[in-house]
């Protein structure tokens, strides 16, 4: 769903969420690049990428 369309849904906080999703999409390099993934993994060794998490929870996602 395009960001403008999401903001137009009239959801409480929809403008803010739409802005956040747009930043994540258009500012991915800044958003992700500011993180030290080696440090994050050291702090939380159970950290998973989205694909791994989805593979483990696919039945829950499909039923939603």
């Amino acid at each position: 769903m395009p960001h403008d369309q999401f903001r137009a849904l009239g959801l409480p906080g929809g403008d803010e969420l739409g802005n956040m999703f747009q930043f994540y999409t258009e500012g991915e390099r800044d958003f992700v690049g500011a993180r030290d993934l080696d440090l994050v993994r050291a702090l939380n060794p159970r950290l998973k990428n989205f694909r791994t998490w989805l593979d483990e929870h696919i039945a829950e996602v499909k039923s939603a």
Side-chain angles (χ1 to χ4, degrees):
M1 173 180 295
H3 305 110
D4 288 335
Q5 187 178 359
F6 185 88
R7 285 188 278 263
L9 291 174
L11 300 170
D15 287 342
E16 291 80 6
L17 287 170
N19 293 342
M20 177 185 70
F21 295 142
Q22 186 170 3
F23 174 74
Y24 289 171
T25 302
E26 296 175 3
E28 179 182 10
R29 180 171 291 175
D30 293 326
F31 177 69
V32 176
R35 281 141 182 82
D36 179 347
L37 290 180
D38 291 332
L39 174 61
V40 173
R41 287 187 179 103
L43 294 171
N44 182 4
R46 297 178 309 155
L47 181 70
K48 300 174 184 173
N49 64 27
F50 180 68
R51 171 50 54 198
T52 302
W53 179 88
L54 184 59
D55 288 344
E56 294 174 1
H57 295 88
I58 193 69
E60 298 163 56
V61 172
K62 282 184 177 181
S63 67

